[in-house]
């Protein structure tokens, strides 16, 4: 079954680790060969800048990750750079669509031109914050009652103008509330249900419903601390509880996958890298129909793109 994954952090590793090879490096969860074995048809690659990097160096680091995307990911003949979502209709057998995203606007500071440069490089999905405060707003680790900053309006207007999807993952609660009426296209690229695991990175039932009411969707994340609070081994069945819960709230057509592979140090049992993706589609068959699983795996996101006029 074909998979569309909305979030991995391969680029940070490709730009940082010495002699890392995208094709088959064992240090990568989402290497090319793992994507192939997991039947991942489209992978979104996040530009993520570690918070400890000085502000004056963050944009340079973002450009280094764009360079890694171009020279290491796209250098593989199977990978196709998706700069227009309509290209997904043209992918051939054996090809994998590669899409750039920006995980938080930390690297642009308060300079809109830097964001324009990243959009020109092909970024199609943008999160306003990571976990902490930046010039746009406040992340999930900040006080939940601090909203978006004035600069956010300029950022959102630019993203809307370019039909870029805005990602609510990592926003705090007030930022989420502020964003919903302003954004043209919305998504949660890698979040779970807070009702099942009370973590600031997860969305409440009310947030999930609001997101869908504004045309968005939620892609579940595979990071164990976002799946359950217990220190015991996290299983695929634990993750499926989130999917079942969200499906009851908003329907399977608004659910997808956003693994966070290569951005996580812990993994779900039997879902330790992209090669094991079919384990979750198989496990879902105990609860959902084949058609429903295909919808969650890829077809729901493709339908979403059609709904917002991008495919």
């Amino acid at each position: 079954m074909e998979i569309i994954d909305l979030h991995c952090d391969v680029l940070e590793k490709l730009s940082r680790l010495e002699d890392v090879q995208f094709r088959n490096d064992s240090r990568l969860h989402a290497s090319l060969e793992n994507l192939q074995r997991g039947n991942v048809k489209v992978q979104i690659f996040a530009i993520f800048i570690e918070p400890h990097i000085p502000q004056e160096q963050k944009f340079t680091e973002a450009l280094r990750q764009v360079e890694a995307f171009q020279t290491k990911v796209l250098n593989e003949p199977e990978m196709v750079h998706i700069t227009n979502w309509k290209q997904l209709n043209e992918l051939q057998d054996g090809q994998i669509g590669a899409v750039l995203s920006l995980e938080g606007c930390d690297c642009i500071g308060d300079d809109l031109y830097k964001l324009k440069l990243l959009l020109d490089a092909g970024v199609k999905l943008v999160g306003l914050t990571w976990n902490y405060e930046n010039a746009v707003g406040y992340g999930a680790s900040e006080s939940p009652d601090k909203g978006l900053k004035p600069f956010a309006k300029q950022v959102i207007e630019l993203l809307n103008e370019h039909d870029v999807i805005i990602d609510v993952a990592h926003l705090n609660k007030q930022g989420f509330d502020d964003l919903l009426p302003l954004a043209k296209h919305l998504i949660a690229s890698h979040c779970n249900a807070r009702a099942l695991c009370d973590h600031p990175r997860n969305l409440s039932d009310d947030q999930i419903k609001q997101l869908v009411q504004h045309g968005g969707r939620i892609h579940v994340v595979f990071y164990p601390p976002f799946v359950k609070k217990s220190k015991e081994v996290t299983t695929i069945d634990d993750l499926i509880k989130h999917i079942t819960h969200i499906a009851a709230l908003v329907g399977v057509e608004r659910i997808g996958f956003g693994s966070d592979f290569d951005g996580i140090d812990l993994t779900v049992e039997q879902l330790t890298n992209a090669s094991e993706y079919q384990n979750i589609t198989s496990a879902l068959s105990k609860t959902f129909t084949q058609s429903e699983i295909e919808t969650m795996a890829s077809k729901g996101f493709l339908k979403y793109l059609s709904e917002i006029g991008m495919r």
Side-chain angles (χ1 to χ4, degrees):
M1 186 177 299
E2 289 186 348
I3 302 291
I4 295 178
D5 185 321
L6 256 59
H7 192 90
C8 80
D9 285 293
V10 167
L11 300 184
E12 193 277 332
K13 285 185 177 178
L14 290 179
S15 67
R16 174 174 54 84
L17 299 177
E18 292 186 8
D19 302 321
V20 63
Q21 299 297 319
F22 173 62
R23 175 166 287 273
N24 57 10
D25 199 297
S26 61
R27 293 171 289 181
L28 299 179
H29 294 147
S31 65
L32 172 57
E33 290 187 359
N34 282 345
L35 293 175
Q36 290 172 326
R37 286 194 288 268
N39 203 17
V40 177
K41 190 64 176 177
V42 180
Q43 178 65 63
I44 294 187
F45 294 83
I47 299 167
F48 167 67
I49 313 303
E50 291 283 359
H52 64 78
I53 293 176
Q55 183 61 49
E56 63 271 16
Q57 297 177 21
K58 286 184 177 181
F59 189 67
T60 298
E61 176 59 28
L63 295 181
R64 289 181 68 242
Q65 292 187 28
V66 172
E67 180 184 29
F69 178 73
Q70 294 172 341
T71 60
K72 295 184 177 182
V73 174
L74 299 182
N75 191 52
E76 301 294 345
E78 297 91 339
M79 303 302 296
V80 177
H81 188 191
I82 303 299
T83 57
N84 185 315
W85 292 111
K86 290 181 172 62
Q87 291 172 261
L88 298 184
N89 302 323
E90 303 164 6
L91 288 175
Q92 305 296 312
D93 290 345
Q95 292 183 326
I96 299 173
V99 186
L100 274 177
S101 71
L102 179 62
E103 187 173 19
C105 290
D106 304 56
C107 68
I108 70 169
D110 59 0
D111 189 344
L112 206 61
Y113 181 66
K114 290 179 178 178
L115 180 57
K116 291 178 181 177
L117 291 176
L118 293 175
L119 299 186
D120 288 344
V123 166
K124 306 299 292 178
L125 186 150
V126 170
L128 301 184
T129 66
W130 191 59
N131 287 337
Y132 306 110
E133 177 186 1
N134 62 22
V136 178
Y138 298 86
S141 294
E142 303 283 356
S143 172
D145 58 0
K146 294 180 177 181
L148 296 179
K149 297 182 179 181
F151 181 52
K153 184 177 180 182
Q154 297 179 55
V155 169
I156 294 166
E157 286 177 349
L158 178 66
L159 298 177
N160 286 345
E161 178 186 340
H162 287 264
D163 276 326
V164 174
I165 300 168
I166 302 181
D167 187 4
V168 305
H170 289 286
L171 266 179
N172 70 343
K173 184 183 183 304
Q174 188 58 53
F176 177 96
D177 292 342
D178 290 347
L179 173 63
L180 256 60
L182 301 176
K184 188 176 179 182
H185 310 302
L186 285 162
I187 216 157
S189 68
H190 57 308
C191 297
N192 290 336
R194 196 160 184 173
L196 274 63
C197 181
D198 188 10
H199 192 287
R201 273 282 288 105
N202 289 335
L203 299 181
S204 70
D205 287 359
D206 186 53
Q207 286 178 309
I208 293 169
K209 290 176 183 178
Q210 287 184 64
L211 179 65
V212 169
Q213 287 167 3
H214 282 80
R217 49 188 289 113
I218 178 170
H219 285 233
V220 296
V221 60
F222 300 170
Y223 188 40
F226 301 164
V227 178
K228 67 178 184 180
K229 285 290 188 179
S230 170
K231 298 296 184 181
E232 299 171 0
V233 172
T234 304
T235 67
I236 288 178
D237 286 341
D238 293 322
L239 181 59
I240 290 176
K241 290 176 183 177
H242 285 263
I243 294 172
T244 303
H245 179 83
I246 297 167
L249 290 175
V250 295
V252 296
E253 65 275 7
R254 292 294 171 175
I255 304 172
F257 300 134
S259 65
D260 209 7
F261 280 140
D262 291 297
I264 54 179
D265 54 356
L266 301 171
T267 56
V268 174
E269 188 178 45
Q270 296 185 307
L271 202 53
T272 61
N273 61 58
S275 74
E276 297 184 332
Y277 239 120
Q278 300 305 312
N279 288 341
I280 188 169
T281 58
S282 176
L284 283 165
S285 65
K286 301 173 187 175
T287 308
F288 298 95
T289 67
Q290 181 77 1
S291 175
E292 288 173 330
I293 299 168
E294 290 175 352
T295 294
M296 289 185 278
S298 62
K299 291 183 178 179
F301 181 71
L302 297 177
K303 183 180 179 183
Y304 162 81
L305 292 176
S306 297
E307 289 171 353
I308 62 177
M310 293 193 194
R311 180 174 174 266

